[in-house]
């Protein structure tokens, strides 16, 4: 197999949560371009349908599925529908996530739990459902979680302690799943982006000028700059990698 063939996703079936915008949308487009048939999941069906039409216009196959990843019944139905319509699942990108800026002294229990429920429980439910389907198929697969550099450091000056907590949990959850799922030939890895210009980051414009001097590369990243990592972990090119967390942050965590 040639090195380029290692990255080929033709014949693969990929699920991407949080696909209506940001990183999820960009990864879905990249996977479709690499040949995968994709299931697009998020709460906003209209955005998913528009993305599915864009992928179809380029010659790809996409199934939009409305899903709240904090609801186990909806997650189960999402994976069931994907496997029925696409004929299986080989890749699952557990990407759905939220953030808010609130000092911990002012934070309500409800807000803390809301962040954990989407960012941690949602990842667990999605990965569990995907892994169960992969085990039933008997051909293994790859699960990729979207963590964050915030799982390694504490962001400043914005106060997002609940978000940092959730992403640290995702990294360790990923490692635990990697160990448990390995006998089933299912690899589980996480990607920890730094500041990436998505719909979550754009509204925080007051902080952009404060972040950039602390980034050795001097700028905020673009969603498409993550595609290489997501493709690597989804493909045969990473066949011996599991339980790893790959940081891509322009060097922010280095100093």
């Amino acid at each position: 197999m040639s090195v380029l063939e290692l990255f080929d996703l033709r014949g693969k079936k990929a699920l991407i949560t949080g696909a209506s915008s940001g990183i999820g949308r960009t990864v879905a487009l990249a996977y479709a371009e690499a040949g995968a048939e994709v299931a697009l999941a998020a709460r906003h069906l209209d955005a998913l349908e528009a993305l599915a039409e864009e992928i179809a216009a380029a010659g790809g196959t996409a199934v939009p599925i409305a899903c709240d990843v904090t609801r186990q019944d909806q997650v189960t139905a999402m994976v069931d529908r994907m496997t029925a319509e696409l004929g299986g699942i080989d890749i699952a990108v557990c990407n759905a996530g939220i953030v808010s800026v609130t000092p911990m002294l002012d934070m309500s229990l409800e807000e803390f739990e809301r962040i954990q429920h989407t960012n941690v429980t949602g990842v667990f439910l999605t990965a569990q459902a995907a892994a169960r389907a992969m085990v039933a198929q008997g051909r293994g697969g790859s699960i990729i979680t979207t963590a964050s550099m915030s799982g390694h450091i504490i962001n400043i000056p914005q106060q997002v302690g609940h978000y940092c907590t959730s992403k640290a949990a995702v990294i360790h959850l990923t490692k635990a799943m990697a160990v448990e799922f390995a006998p089933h030939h299912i690899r589980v890895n996480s990607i920890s982006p730094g500041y990436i210009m998505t719909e979550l980051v754009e509204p925080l414009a007051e902080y952009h000028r404060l972040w950039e001097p602390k980034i050795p590369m001097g700028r905020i990243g673009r969603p498409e700059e993550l595609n290489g990592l997501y493709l690597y972990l989804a493909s045969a090119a990473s066949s011996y990698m599991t339980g790893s967390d790959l940081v891509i942050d322009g060097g922010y965590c280095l100093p």
Side-chain angles (χ1 to χ4, degrees), residues 118-205:
T118 298
N119 294 4
V120 185
T121 305
V123 167
F124 165 71
L125 291 175
T126 303
Q128 181 190 56
R132 285 172 171 170
M134 290 172 181
V135 169
Q137 291 172 169
R139 62 175 185 254
S142 176
I143 297 173
I144 304 160
T145 66
T146 299
S148 172
M149 73 173 182
S150 302
H152 297 270
I153 54 94
I154 302 302
N155 302 80
I156 54 173
Q158 73 275 22
Q159 294 173 311
V160 290
H162 49 356
Y163 180 78
C164 295
T165 300
S166 72
K167 292 303 186 178
V170 168
I171 293 169
H172 220 59
L173 172 62
T174 299
K175 294 177 185 296
M177 292 190 296
V179 172
E180 292 199 26
F181 298 169
H184 302 288
H185 307 289
I186 299 170
R187 300 180 296 105
V188 193
N189 295 282
S190 59
I191 293 175
S192 285
Y195 292 122
I196 304 296
M197 193 62 75
T198 66
E199 288 84 346
L200 288 179
V201 170
E202 286 174 355
L204 305 177

Side-chain angles (χ1 to χ4, degrees), residues 95-116:
N95 173 72
I98 57 174
V99 68
S100 62
V101 179
T102 308
M104 285 217 173
L105 289 176
D106 301 328
M107 190 180 298
S108 67
L109 175 60
E110 290 74 18
E111 182 172 359
F112 182 85
E113 290 180 333
R114 181 174 66 91
I115 297 293
Q116 309 315 309

